[in-house]
Amino acid sequence: MANILNTGISALNAFQRQLATTGHNIANVNTEGYTRQRVDFNALEPQGGDGGYIGSGVEVSSIRRTFDDYLAGRVRDYNASHEEYSIYYERASQVDNVLGDAASGLDQMMQDFFASIQDVANDPTSVPARTVMLNKANLLADRFQSLNGWMDNLRSEVNRDLGTYVDDLNGIAGSLASINQRIQSVSSNSANPPNDLLDQRDQLIDQLSGYVNVNTSVQDDGSMNVFIGNGQALVVGGTASSLSVVNNPATADKKELVITQPGGSVVTVTDQVSGGKLGGLLRFRTEVLDSAQNSLGLVAIGLADAFNTQHLLGTDLNGAAGTSFFTTTTLQVLANSNNTGTAVVNAGFSAVNNLTNNDYQLGFDGANWSITNLGTGASSVLGPPGTYVHDGVQITIGAGGAAGDRFLLRPTRGGGQDIGVLITDPREIAAGQTGAVGDNQNALGLAALQTQQVLLNGSASLGDAYGVMVADVGTLTHQAKTNEDVQNQLLKQADEAKSAVSGVNLDEEAADLVRFQQAYSAAAQVIATANTLFDTLLGAVRG
């Protein structure tokens, strides 16, 4: 009788656990991040007897999550990609809308400016026409400056958001380390997995994937190590590293991401971070903002250089030789703060027509200097200290460099900010070349600059160069939107596949509830039967 009773009791306890788990699933049907749980059973070891082995009941072997690592990983990957393209598109569309709009862009203003020059050419002695031309020139210079200032503000927003997202990421990393500690503690005292804690940890990993691509590795003690970038550890067991935003060693307006390990080592991971909001912001900064601001400066430099060159060939209404019409910019040479040598680098424009819209890095290996185009990645050796010409820039490098020294060259970044109109008197516009009354030869030369291919190695006019910039931004914006839509669809599909495995289905749970209730009732009946048999046996013995 004892065997039958124990068998019934084991079944009763097991089915009670199964009913409780089903109830737990139903209760958490709307809990975000909850994974459906199921009870696994093992038959208890049978007992031997004269008639053979007799089963002794059932036990709960584990209560585990219906969780698929592969499906969860796909959701995180697509979430990281979607967030990356989403924020990229959001920021790129701002630039696209401003640069491509007739009211806020440059195209219409350049057309108006050159139209005013043609008006002066048509009537070179007209002071009102000259005044209009001067006004249009100032409006154009102001537009260059305002667009450049707007891009500076956009860059400040990017830097601010990088800091905000890094703070969010560090908060998640700290929570992951804390949950790892709790999981380690529970796992050391129990053979069963702490399912609800595992759900919380997976939900944090999902949140983390919204900021950056992540890779994970579960350890024997139940803790999970989390890696970002090219294998940089963010969380190891119960310890979290810290991500920070710092100034670039060469320029404070470019923020870098560094990770500080618990031992104190600091690693720059800017170029390693991809995916999520952080990856999207960094890509936007490099591919759209840096490129657009440099291109804006390139057009401004091209305008000032070509216009000044032509203006100097003319004669103004007072009979004096023409002077520079626009202010020009100074090429930015920025020394790396980690340099240990004493070399000085000076640079200027050698041929504006050969300039690109890329930044460059000079590096010294102890014997020779090399230059790397940061836009294309192309690198070439210049040689020992001396004077070199590269992509329209003349570079003079002094002695005293130490191995590892670096300089950042920004040929065109300041062009949009620095352009201005030097002439204030409309009579000083050099419209003629011979000094004769009504001479308009230089005005015609100035007007012709509108279509002359003065940029990009003689392949683009000023308007063409601006059009290329607008087209490039537009293409990147369109691609980002398309990719965002695709990744969003893939994310939905991956999430549905994961939910089909891990989500709570109320219809299934209700059916299980009925089935498990019947099993529970049957187990109770086994116990009742055992009691009846026991009472009958006692009655026979007493009789």
Side-chain angles (χ1 to χ4, degrees):
M1 298 305 112
N3 286 341
I4 298 176
L5 183 61
N6 289 338
T7 297
I9 291 174
S10 71
L12 197 69
N13 288 333
F15 295 143
Q16 184 181 46
R17 187 72 61 84
Q18 200 167 41
L19 283 168
T21 301
T22 303
H24 186 55
N25 288 338
I26 294 172
N28 286 281
V29 64
N30 293 319
T31 301
E32 185 178 357
Y34 179 79
T35 302
R36 180 168 61 93
Q37 299 178 13
R38 60 174 294 176
V39 179
D40 291 332
F41 296 131
N42 279 336
L44 290 173
E45 185 176 348
Q47 297 180 0
D50 294 338
Y53 286 93
I54 302 175
S56 57
V58 67
E59 67 175 353
V60 174
S61 61
S62 67
I63 301 176
R64 60 184 178 84
R65 303 183 301 159
T66 55
F67 186 78
D68 189 306
D69 287 325
Y70 171 73
L71 294 178
R74 288 183 62 195
V75 170
R76 291 165 187 164
D77 289 343
Y78 289 136
N79 184 48
S81 295
H82 175 259
E83 290 295 333
E84 175 183 11
Y85 286 114
S86 178
I87 197 165
Y88 186 106
Y89 169 71
E90 175 190 330
R91 301 305 173 87
S93 60
Q94 294 179 39
V95 180
D96 185 39
N97 292 336
V98 170
L99 295 182
D101 185 75
S104 58
L106 272 177
D107 188 63
Q108 187 60 51
M109 279 206 159
M110 282 200 292
Q111 292 185 39
D112 291 346
F113 172 58
F114 281 106
S116 71
I117 300 173
Q118 188 61 54
D119 289 341
V120 172
N122 293 338
D123 189 0
T125 61
S126 171
V127 173
R130 288 167 171 263
T131 301
V132 170
M133 175 183 163
L134 206 55
N135 289 338
K136 294 294 184 182
N138 280 294
L139 288 173
L140 181 58
D142 288 345
R143 179 59 55 86
F144 272 109
Q145 293 171 12
S146 65
L147 284 174
N148 187 81
W150 175 76
M151 290 181 184
D152 281 340
N153 291 335
L154 196 56
R155 189 177 303 279
S156 296
E157 291 179 13
V158 169
N159 292 336
R160 179 201 64 201
D161 289 344
L162 284 175
T164 299
Y165 295 150
V166 163
D167 288 343
D168 293 343
L169 184 147
N170 286 333
I172 295 173
S175 297
L176 281 169
S178 177
I179 284 187
N180 269 343
Q181 291 174 353
R182 294 171 63 189
I183 290 175
Q184 287 173 324
S185 175
V186 172
S187 298
S188 64
N189 298 317
S190 173
N192 292 314
N195 295 315
D196 296 313
L197 284 177
L198 295 178
D199 281 347
Q200 292 178 35
R201 185 173 69 185
D202 286 325
Q203 190 175 7
L204 287 171
I205 296 294
D206 290 344
Q207 293 175 15
L208 189 64
S209 70
Y211 293 94
V212 66
N213 276 329
V214 296
N215 292 298
T216 61
S217 175
V218 178
Q219 305 306 298
D220 292 339
D221 61 2
S223 65
M224 176 181 284
N225 295 344
V226 182
F227 305 92
I228 63 173
N230 293 340
Q232 296 298 330
L234 180 65
V235 178
V236 176
T239 304
S241 300
S242 177
L243 202 66
S244 303
V245 178
V246 300
N247 292 337
N248 179 279
T251 174
D253 66 359
K254 182 180 181 180
K255 302 300 181 182
E256 305 286 352
L257 301 182
V258 299
I259 190 167
T260 304
Q261 305 290 357
S265 63
V266 179
V267 179
T268 301
V269 295
T270 309
D271 295 336
Q272 303 175 25
V273 168
S274 63
K277 296 177 180 178
L278 285 174
L281 273 183
L282 292 173
R283 278 191 56 204
F284 161 76
R285 183 178 71 181
T286 300
E287 297 176 8
V288 178
L289 186 55
D290 287 352
S291 178
Q293 194 165 17
N294 287 353
S295 294
L296 180 73
L298 176 63
V299 176
I301 292 168
L303 172 65
D305 179 74
F307 208 87
N308 287 348
T309 299
Q310 184 66 45
H311 199 257
L312 288 169
L313 299 177
T315 304
D316 65 18
L317 202 56
N318 299 320
T323 59
S324 292
F325 191 91
F326 288 107
T327 57
T328 56
T329 189
T330 301
L331 190 152
Q332 297 179 14
V333 181
L334 306 171
N336 192 291
S337 61
N338 297 318
N339 289 354
T340 58
T342 59
V344 175
V345 175
N346 294 301
F349 302 118
S350 64
V352 169
N353 187 31
N354 295 331
L355 292 176
T356 73
N357 68 337
N358 295 319
D359 295 336
Y360 299 80
Q361 180 171 278
L362 290 173
F364 190 52
D365 63 5
N368 293 303
W369 287 87
S370 62
I371 187 167
T372 301
N373 185 317
L374 297 180
T376 65
S379 182
S380 59
V381 176
L382 297 177
T387 299
Y388 302 93
V389 174
H390 187 85
D391 287 351
V393 176
Q394 179 173 296
I395 308 164
T396 301
I397 307 171
D405 283 359
R406 291 172 294 167
F407 290 83
L408 175 65
L409 303 184
R410 285 177 166 175
T412 65
R413 178 64 61 85
Q417 171 185 321
D418 295 337
I419 190 171
V421 179
L422 292 170
I423 290 177
T424 58
D425 185 350
R427 297 181 62 86
E428 294 178 355
I429 296 175
Q433 285 186 342
T434 65
V437 176
D439 180 16
N440 67 351
Q441 290 303 303
N442 209 50
L444 291 173
L446 292 171
L449 294 176
Q450 182 176 13
T451 57
Q452 287 183 12
Q453 295 179 324
V454 297
L455 289 174
L456 304 179
N457 293 313
S459 66
S461 66
L462 296 169
D464 291 338
Y466 183 74
V468 168
M469 173 179 66
V470 174
D472 286 346
V473 172
T475 299
L476 291 171
T477 303
H478 176 72
Q479 290 175 346
K481 179 57 178 174
T482 300
N483 288 329
E484 180 195 15
D485 292 341
V486 170
Q487 295 301 318
N488 186 47
Q489 186 63 33
L490 292 173
L491 175 59
K492 287 181 179 179
Q493 293 175 2
D495 194 52
E496 289 172 357
K498 177 187 173 185
S499 296
V501 173
S502 302
V504 176
N505 185 305
L506 287 179
D507 291 336
E508 292 181 4
E509 299 299 328
D512 285 345
L513 198 62
V514 173
R515 183 161 58 92
F516 299 153
Q517 185 179 12
Q518 291 174 344
Y520 183 84
S521 297
Q525 188 63 39
V526 171
I527 295 174
T529 300
N531 285 334
T532 299
L533 291 174
F534 187 69
D535 289 343
T536 300
L537 180 61
L538 285 178
V541 172
R542 290 193 185 106

